[in-house]
Amino acid sequence: MEESMTDNQKSEGQLHPDETTLAAESTQTQRSHNRTLRPTGSTFERFMLSGWGEEDNEVEPLESSRFVPDRLKALGAKFPGQRLIIPAGQAKVRNDDCDYAFRPDSAFAYYTGLGQDYEAGAVLVLNPVDPDSPEAKEGQTHTATLYTHPRSDQTTQEYYRSASYGEYWVGARPGLKGLAVMTGLHTADIADFDDAVAKNVGPEQGAVQLRVVRNVDPQITESVDLIRHDNGFSDDGKTQADDDAFYQATSVQRMLKDSYEVGEMRKAIAATKDGFFRMLTALPAAIGRPRSERILEGQFNANAREQGNNEGYDTIVASGAHAPTLHWMRNTGTIESGELLLIDAGVEVDSLYTADITRTFPTNGHFSDLQRQMYQVVLDAQQAGFEAAKPGATYSDIHKACMRVLAEALYQWGILPVSVEESLSPQGQQHRRWHACGVAHHLGLDVHDCSQARYEEYQGAALTPGMIFTIEPGLYFKENDMLVPPEFRGVGIRIEDDVLMTEKGPEWLSIGIPKQVDDVEKWMADCAAQANRAA
Ligand code: GLY
Ligand code: MN
Ligand code: MN
């Protein structure tokens, strides 16, 4: 018997889910069925799929789409004859049927050029070309297809039934046609993925082998492993090692940024500067207020959402004794006048590139003599790191240059219990008690970009034009550190900037964000004046 909406409404509280309907719905929707009274009758279905006008769902080619072919070509050249599978990932459950906002995996974002929340469940496949084909003769190794879920628009029942893809729930999505326009890639229905990936797979000469970025989408990894087992690959250890090597290669490729990526990084840094401006403008009124670290965090994050996609990582607002906690993200502290305030924050723009900037401020707008002295040491260490960052040098060279300046200062303050040289020797390293973290890392789509690379490809590799990285020395004196004078305890200072290596040497990308002592004080005064004018 067909139910009308009125019947449904009358029988609220007695409805039982229709099994057929449930099977068609996502797990997510099933989980919430104990609290929805959505009608399931065919009258309702017909009603829901009729009476809709045209919808504006036009998309434009992304600027990144001009750069994607070269990225794919370089990857394909490393894995001729192999089918390469790069998933976007699935939405992560926050709790129950509520997901976190979706962010695609960075390898997927890089090779498709997609950003923002495009596109949960999608998978990029690079299919090896037939060696005798005209494409192969032109030097092409692979053709790319982006598999994705078709639109669940007002012509499909999923429109209102699927909380994951239904456009009633999630708004208009680009689907196959839209993603093809945005990326310039050939697109296909994700329903065809398994058959397409299984084609000609086998261990024999001339057959196709699969490589998958395996830690991103468990459903895709399972499908690929199943196809391998069904086609003569039984050594899981070997296939997983091959997958890891593939993932590592994608990570290494991202070390050299193309001109589009450099432009996106400049945008991320400019938006981050605006976020710092907003925080400094809010600072005078926040001093002494409970949880005022969060007042500033809120200012930065609001700007990140306005100007970009999000924060690139959880914003660190660490005042006073919180500052020596390297990953202070709780931000529940009260900012007091006269302390130092360490803020580590970055805007991730819509293309998903993020800045990573740290500044340390005197909360009352003026460094005390000791604060200035300590701050200047960190600044000098950073400058030494910058000067060591020449093309051909390594991250280790940056690290050593920064550490020497810090160790010398710690010695002069009478804190270092050994000589500078003994501390800098591999057996010593006593200065690292006050700087236990790294001093530089690649930056791009991920805040700790290219992290799958091996040591010799990363720490030990030559700095090369096109690389973007941070230089971020600091000094961290815990509140209960009995090995330092009392006035040093509970102080943390970090200065972190983003650098592009060029043929001519390193360029401070974030040079526009003040950090010299006088410039910081002037910037704070300008922001305080701005806050006064607005009040
Ligand atoms: N914000 C994380 C880092 O500086 O590495
Ligand atoms: Mn960093
Ligand atoms: Mn940082």
Side-chain angles (χ1 to χ4, degrees):
M1 195 181 83
E2 286 182 8
E3 294 172 299
S4 70
M5 280 189 80
T6 315
D7 290 342
N8 271 319
Q9 283 159 353
K10 276 186 196 149
S11 56
E12 277 188 6
Q14 300 162 32
L15 282 180
H16 295 289
D18 168 324
E19 292 305 323
T20 325
T21 310
L22 272 182
E25 291 192 6
S26 68
T27 316
Q28 191 180 52
T29 312
Q30 289 179 36
R31 271 184 278 147
S32 64
H33 225 291
N34 58 358
R35 60 180 169 75
T36 128
L37 299 171
R38 191 189 315 151
T40 55
S42 57
T43 304
F44 176 71
E45 279 171 12
R46 280 197 300 276
F47 187 62
M48 280 301 280
L49 298 185
S50 63
W52 305 108
E54 284 295 308
E55 196 178 26
D56 182 11
N57 192 29
E58 287 301 306
V59 290
E60 300 283 330
L62 297 170
E63 191 189 341
S64 57
S65 64
R66 291 191 290 116
F67 295 82
V68 161
D70 280 351
R71 297 177 191 173
L72 295 177
K73 197 168 161 198
L75 180 65
K78 290 201 180 81
F79 298 95
Q82 310 208 14
R83 187 167 292 137
L84 310 176
I85 300 157
I86 305 172
Q90 301 285 348
K92 285 190 182 58
V93 174
R94 181 177 178 130
N95 51 55
D96 189 49
D97 60 340
C98 295
D99 294 332
Y100 287 100
F102 179 71
R103 183 196 190 275
D105 180 68
S106 295
F108 177 87
Y110 181 72
Y111 290 112
T112 60
L114 289 165
Q116 292 178 299
D117 57 351
Y118 299 114
E119 179 72 6
V123 189
L124 177 67
V125 176
L126 298 194
N127 201 37
V129 297
D130 180 337
D132 299 323
S133 66
E135 290 92 349
K137 296 209 166 75
E138 282 170 14
Q140 204 173 325
T141 59
H142 293 77
T143 54
T145 300
L146 178 57
Y147 290 87
T148 189
H149 199 282
R151 285 190 66 187
S152 303
D153 60 14
Q154 291 155 351
T155 63
T156 70
Q157 288 183 0
E158 270 198 339
Y159 170 63
Y160 64 95
R161 282 187 178 177
S162 166
S164 302
Y165 295 105
E167 296 186 6
Y168 188 95
W169 295 82
V170 298
R173 305 300 297 172
L176 275 63
K177 215 166 111 198
L179 284 182
V181 171
M182 290 164 76
T183 61
L185 296 167
H186 174 65
T187 55
D189 191 330
I190 191 72
D192 300 333
F193 171 82
D194 279 2
D195 286 347
V197 165
K199 208 167 158 207
N200 301 334
V201 170
E204 63 278 8
Q205 185 73 20
V208 173
Q209 295 179 13
L210 306 179
R211 302 251 187 163
V212 61
V213 176
R214 49 183 314 116
N215 63 339
V216 171
D217 185 333
Q219 294 172 29
I220 295 297
T221 306
E222 198 182 320
S223 287
V224 169
D225 284 344
L226 212 60
I227 291 167
R228 283 165 162 162
H229 285 163
D230 289 349
N231 290 278
F233 292 94
S234 53
D235 184 347
D236 289 345
K238 160 92 176 71
T239 51
Q240 288 181 22
D242 286 348
D243 289 344
D244 291 345
F246 170 51
Y247 193 28
Q248 177 196 331
T250 66
S251 204
V252 171
Q253 191 183 337
R254 286 188 3 230
M255 284 182 177
L256 296 186
K257 271 59 180 178
D258 57 37
S259 60
Y260 167 78
E261 296 181 282
V262 173
E264 292 303 295
M265 288 300 300
R266 291 188 195 278
K267 285 185 205 163
I269 291 164
T272 299
K273 179 180 178 180
D274 291 345
F276 272 86
F277 175 82
R278 271 177 75 153
M279 288 189 286
L280 286 185
T281 307
L283 176 61
I287 292 201
R289 287 183 57 189
R291 289 156 70 105
S292 38
E293 290 176 348
R294 290 218 182 159
I295 296 176
L296 299 202
E297 178 192 355
Q299 292 294 324
F300 187 84
N301 295 0
N303 179 68
R305 290 291 284 170
E306 275 175 50
Q307 293 200 27
N309 187 55
N310 214 331
E311 312 93 75
Y313 50 92
D314 283 342
T315 299
I316 295 171
V317 183
S319 61
H322 292 153
T325 300
L326 297 176
H327 292 171
W328 175 257
M329 294 178 294
R330 201 174 291 144
N331 298 347
T332 47
T334 301
I335 302 170
E336 302 290 359
S337 182
E339 296 175 333
L340 288 179
L341 169 67
L342 183 160
I343 302 179
D344 185 342
V347 172
E348 174 190 84
V349 288
D350 283 350
S351 55
L352 306 180
Y353 289 83
T354 187
D356 181 12
I357 302 290
T358 308
R359 289 289 181 268
T360 306
F361 303 98
T363 54
N364 62 10
H366 299 281
F367 289 95
S368 71
D369 287 348
L370 180 62
Q371 287 170 345
R372 181 180 295 112
Q373 215 187 103
M374 294 160 87
Y375 183 90
Q376 191 62 48
V377 165
V378 177
L379 204 51
D380 291 348
Q382 196 201 34
Q383 183 62 28
F386 183 77
E387 283 162 18
K390 300 189 168 34
T394 64
Y395 274 136
S396 302
D397 294 324
I398 300 177
H399 177 88
K400 283 180 193 151
C402 292
M403 289 306 127
R404 175 166 288 281
V405 175
L406 298 180
E408 283 172 354
L410 288 164
Y411 183 78
Q412 274 166 19
W413 286 325
I415 291 173
L416 203 61
V418 296
S419 71
V420 170
E421 296 311 321
E422 190 178 339
S423 189
L424 291 174
S425 72
Q427 301 74 24
Q429 298 291 305
Q430 288 84 349
H431 59 282
R432 296 297 299 277
R433 176 182 172 101
W434 300 286
H435 192 301
C437 55
V439 88
H441 57 80
H442 284 278
L443 182 67
L445 283 166
D446 293 336
V447 63
H448 295 162
D449 213 29
C450 315
S451 58
Q452 299 305 309
R454 291 180 313 226
Y455 178 90
E456 57 274 24
E457 295 164 321
Y458 198 115
Q459 265 311 311
L463 293 169
T464 307
M467 287 181 173
I468 292 182
F469 51 91
T470 66
I471 305 181
E472 51 176 303
L475 280 172
Y476 307 99
F477 299 108
K478 299 279 185 196
E479 202 174 14
N480 63 341
D481 190 339
M482 296 301 144
L483 299 189
V484 303
E487 63 273 23
F488 282 72
R489 294 178 199 156
V491 172
I493 298 170
R494 175 162 66 255
I495 304 170
E496 176 173 27
D497 281 278
D498 303 342
V499 173
L500 167 68
M501 185 55 76
T502 75
E503 300 288 348
K504 294 187 201 131
E507 175 192 343
W508 291 116
L509 289 177
S510 44
I511 196 164
I513 306 179
K515 65 179 170 188
Q516 301 298 330
V517 167
D518 292 347
D519 296 341
V520 168
E521 291 183 349
K522 179 171 182 317
W523 188 25
M524 294 184 75
D526 290 347
C527 289
Q530 164 91 8
N532 272 337
R533 280 195 297 277

